[in-house]
Amino acid sequence: MKLKDRIYDLLPKKLDWYILKKFIFTYLIALLLIIVIVIIFDISEKIEDFVSREAPLKAIVFDYYVNFIPFFINMFSPIFTFLTVIFFTSRLAANSEIIAVLSCGISFNRLLRPYMIGSAIIMIFSLALNLWVIPHVNVTRMAFEEKYVRDYERKETLHNLHYQIAPGEFVYVESFSRWNNTAYKFTLEKIENNRIVSKISADQAVWDSTLCGWHLKRYFIRDYDAGLEDRVRCGQQMDTIIPLTISDLRIKRQYWLQLDHKQLNEHIRTKQMRGDANIKKPLIEKHTRYAMPFSAFILSIIGVSLSSRKRRGGIGWNIALGIALSFSYILFQKFSEMFVFTDTLPVVVAVWLPNVIYAVIAYILYRLAPK
């Protein structure tokens, strides 16, 4: 086959445009309808909070719901994709259009091409939302929720905090009060060549926002020489600036959701360096941002394989099966995250496991689909 003929064969044909238009149009209509329904239910749930906290109408519309839509679209993108494929493919099968296409000598593999193009468009759209759009809009949306919906920021005292703030520098705080931004029983140790060289202890360390540092009260400084003899200095108050800020101790609710991919990677590196035990959720978020958009291909193949056969009962059975499978995918995705918190599986394996399992299901259904 000549190169010109190969290029022509790869160009979209009328059949491709026909299926692709139905794919994208049905996807957008499904998004619009479900978003309207969800917003109505969300308003009915939060109307008392809006009224009691006197939330301005402009803030409700533009700060919350406008920023809520991208977050919601991305969260349920697998369901939208799957239901879209199930719905319009079942209609094509019910109208005997797929039978006509296959009878003309077009292979089932060739029929899948416009579905894969549509899935690629949705994947790129979802990936862009995950990496750049949603972290930005989450800043405004979550700030609105904290102010007008409910008080998300916890006020309790934290206990036994350990941080490595720099190579060889370790901070220990026996307790930290969110009420007055005060760390009690504060300790800063510096270690070189597996040997402690200095230690700063203080009864209290109070955060000063103007200084961007800490006021140490009733402090002791011990410097150790090679023979482990220490020189002790003490005082009532001393100011110090270290790479540990109040934001490190007062992390906002799901703070990592407000970070783009570069900021999230830096956040994870900082937590890894500090030995922070709360690193699993940011890691899950990082890999989920890539794994979920990729599911558009897998769920599209499953949808086409299930709904390309003309059924006597109509499209109702296909839609019901599509809803069950799409929700089972999201449920299994959330369930697999539990393996991370129980240290059963690494984060990468746990996050990508649903895609792997459903890819196997997609292959089996593809082999069983009418050719």
Side-chain angles (χ1 to χ4, degrees), residues 82 127 172 192 226 253 269 309 333 353 358:
F82 201 21
L127 197 60
Y172 169 73
E192 294 179 359
R253 179 186 66 97
R269 283 194 293 267
R309 187 187 303 272
Q333 189 179 49
L353 184 60
Y358 277 76

Side-chain angles (χ1 to χ4, degrees), residues 98-140:
I98 292 182
I99 296 176
V101 169
L102 297 178
S103 299
C104 292
I106 297 177
S107 66
F108 190 77
N109 292 341
R110 180 62 181 81
L111 180 65
L112 284 176
R113 181 186 294 180
Y115 287 94
M116 295 299 98
I117 296 174
S119 299
I121 294 173
I122 293 175
M123 185 199 71
I124 294 173
F125 173 66
S126 180
L127 197 60
L129 287 178
N130 270 335
L131 299 182
W132 294 287
V133 178
I134 292 178
H136 175 71
V137 301
N138 276 346
V139 175
T140 305

Side-chain angles (χ1 to χ4, degrees), residues 200 214-219 221 235-240:
I200 301 176
W214 300 87
H215 296 304
L216 303 184
K217 297 183 178 181
R218 294 182 294 278
Y219 67 90
I221 301 177
Q236 289 298 313
Q237 182 169 313
M238 180 182 71
D239 296 338
T240 182

